[in-house]
Every structure is written in C-alpha cells, then in structure tokens.
C-alpha cells in the first residue's frame, strides 16, 4: 500500500507544545509514524494513502499551535 509524507512548520515554544502535537498525531487513525521536533519547529508525518493532508493539518491546528507552512509529498500546500 502506498503512503504519504507530510511536513509542517509549526510554531512551538516548549516541550509542552511539541508534546501536544505528538499526542494528537498518536491518536489519529492512519498515521504510520511521525517525528515532532521542537528544535527545528517541524512535524514530519508518514500516513496511509487514505489519510488526506487536510485532515492532518486540521488535527495539528486543534492543538492551538500556528502552522506556518505545509507540504505533501514534497509539494507546498495551503495551510488555510
């Protein structure tokens, strides 16, 4: 089965911020693996082919963190 790779630039100021993003990604069905980095302010997410970019973006936004940019499979995407 194919998969998607999404990358988000997320404003995170502390370990609690990155922990919040990790917690929501951990609970999202279809996420195969993820790496949230406070140092680089990024969330790299590998998902099943059936999980759309927009769903992952909305899930990260639910934490209250600002998503500054996003890309899907190497292509820049809207963050609206």
């Amino acid at each position: 089965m194919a998969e998607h790779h999404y990358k988000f630039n997320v404003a995170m100021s502390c370990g609690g911020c990155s922990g919040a993003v990790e917690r929501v990604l951990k609970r999202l069905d279809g996420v195969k693996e993820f790496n949230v980095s406070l140092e680089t302010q990024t969330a790299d997410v590998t998902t099943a082919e059936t999980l759309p970019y927009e769903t992952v973006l909305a899930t990260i936004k639910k934490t209250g963190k600002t998503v500054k940019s996003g890309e899907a499979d190497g292509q820049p995407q809207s963050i609206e």
Side-chain angles (χ1 to χ4, degrees):
M1 177 178 259
E3 58 189 26
H4 291 296
H5 181 76
Y6 304 132
K7 184 172 185 174
F8 301 92
N9 182 308
V10 185
M12 299 177 282
S13 58
C14 65
C17 296
S18 57
V21 174
E22 289 177 358
R23 282 190 298 278
V24 296
L25 291 174
K26 203 177 290 183
R27 291 194 303 257
L28 184 59
D29 285 340
V31 171
K32 292 183 173 186
E33 61 183 7
F34 61 86
N35 180 33
V36 177
S37 172
L38 179 60
E39 186 176 311
T40 62
Q41 303 281 291
T42 57
D44 290 305
V45 187
T46 302
T47 72
E49 185 177 26
T50 55
L51 184 59
Y53 168 88
E54 294 79 11
T55 301
V56 180
L57 174 64
T59 300
I60 293 172
K61 283 184 167 185
K62 282 182 187 174
T63 65
K65 306 302 162 225
T66 301
V67 178
K68 296 180 177 181
S69 66
E71 62 181 54
D73 301 319
Q75 299 297 314
Q77 301 291 314
S78 171
I79 55 166
E80 298 305 314

